[in-house]
Amino acid sequence: MANATRCLIAGNWKMNGTLQESLDFVDDLGANPAPEHVEVALMPPFTLLHPLAFPFSEKDVRLGAQSMYCEVSGAFTGSISPLMLRDAGCHYVILGHSERRDIQHESNALIRKKLGMAWEHGLEPILCIGEHLEERESGKTNEVLKEQLSVLEGVEAGVPLTVAYEPVWAIGTGKTASPEQVKETHAFVHEELSRLGHDCRVLYGGSVNPGNAAELLACDGVEGALVGGASLKADSFMELIEAAAKLA
Ligand code: 13P
């Protein structure tokens, strides 16, 4: 791992999980799922934030949301505000996930606004960036990542921030970036962040599972993982935490 920052294993449940399933998950996590050198966080759907806040805090698991709107309150049907997320006990909010960029057409301008609102309301954003397959194949990866990271231009140094590099072609596909691609891309992301004045943790995401976690987490410049599918079951999620603990 690139620096002394505590490694973060974060689970993004996406649009999965009923109340009963989530309570069973909490039971299956055991008493102390978060070892000393690993930070553990989960991002369930909005409906589960309140019911999970207390059980998660008892187990030292940080709560996060998968998205939010860039206003505090008002006539924004179907949206959720940073204030509501804080009220529900969230520490993190994922912003700029490729599923939001691609399906909901979220732009960098909107993501920039949301970042500002997250900081204003005491949330730590996990800013997701990543290229599509055709962009990687045409040699445009760094250009795409640079553009996505430009939302941090002019943002004061030291704000709470985590970045997650998630190549879109590796999300939910069972394909992962090779260790070489991960090292090379994370080096670029760290370099670009430092040019922008930010020295923050960078996670890798995209088909991370118990079989590949140790190799991916051991790559230079990787300080944790943002995990979809393998975070839905407590046993596979705990295997990822164990893989991180071994490297800490
Ligand atoms: P998978 O781990 O299911 O590929 O999802 C990754 C992801 O999008 C996490 O935000």
Side-chain angles (χ1 to χ4, degrees):
M1 266 160 253
N3 58 36
T5 326
R6 227 163 36 130
C7 173
L8 170 62
I9 300 296
N12 172 10
W13 284 358
K14 308 192 179 183
M15 200 173 69
N16 294 290
T18 61
L19 179 59
Q20 191 54 54
E21 283 165 349
S22 72
L23 296 176
D24 292 345
F25 180 100
V26 172
D27 280 347
D28 293 345
L29 270 185
N32 295 306
E36 202 183 328
H37 299 294
V38 182
E39 186 186 335
V40 179
L42 281 160
M43 289 81 190
F46 296 136
T47 51
L48 299 178
L49 292 175
H50 265 295
L52 292 179
F54 181 66
F56 277 5
S57 73
E58 278 194 313
K59 299 196 176 197
D60 212 11
V61 172
R62 277 187 154 158
L63 186 67
Q66 299 172 19
S67 178
M68 65 171 211
Y69 195 53
C70 57
E71 297 286 345
V72 179
S73 62
F76 304 100
T77 303
S79 300
I80 195 141
S81 88
L83 191 63
M84 293 167 182
L85 297 184
R86 276 302 285 179
D87 195 38
C90 287
H91 174 90
Y92 288 111
V93 60
I94 296 176
L95 295 179
H97 193 282
S98 62
E99 287 151 16
R100 302 287 312 180
R101 293 180 192 261
D102 290 350
I103 304 170
Q104 318 286 338
H105 311 294
E106 291 195 2
S107 64
N108 277 337
L110 180 64
I111 293 163
R112 174 68 189 86
K113 263 194 183 171
K114 291 185 178 193
L115 283 167
M117 288 303 276
W119 287 316
E120 205 171 301
H121 292 275
L123 294 162
E124 175 167 350
I126 298 182
L127 173 65
C128 295
I129 57 171
E131 80 287 1
H132 290 88
L133 185 60
E134 54 283 13
E135 292 164 335
R136 175 158 285 272
E137 286 178 347
S138 57
K140 294 210 176 103
T141 300
N142 291 357
E143 196 184 310
V144 170
L145 301 180
K146 190 175 172 166
E147 169 72 16
Q148 291 171 337
L149 286 172
S150 71
V151 296
L152 297 172
E153 228 147 282
V155 169
E156 76 178 287
V159 287
L161 173 68
T162 292
V163 167
Y165 167 58
E166 299 201 299
V168 182
W169 48 272
I171 295 180
T173 58
K175 287 185 202 156
T176 55
S178 68
E180 289 66 36
Q181 287 171 324
V182 172
K183 277 182 228 163
E184 194 179 74
T185 313
H186 277 246
F188 175 77
V189 172
H190 277 290
E191 196 183 292
E192 190 55 20
L193 282 167
S194 120
R195 193 186 66 77
L196 292 162
H198 299 281
D199 173 23
C200 70
R201 190 161 50 178
V202 181
L203 316 179
Y204 171 80
S207 297
V208 176
N209 63 45
N212 60 27
E215 187 178 40
L216 291 165
L217 289 169
C219 292
D220 282 345
V222 175
E223 287 116 359
L226 182 58
V227 187
S231 72
L232 293 174
K233 292 272 178 282
D235 54 356
S236 53
F237 189 57
M238 284 191 301
E239 284 186 62
L240 304 179
I241 298 168
E242 278 159 31
K246 280 191 192 144
L247 292 164

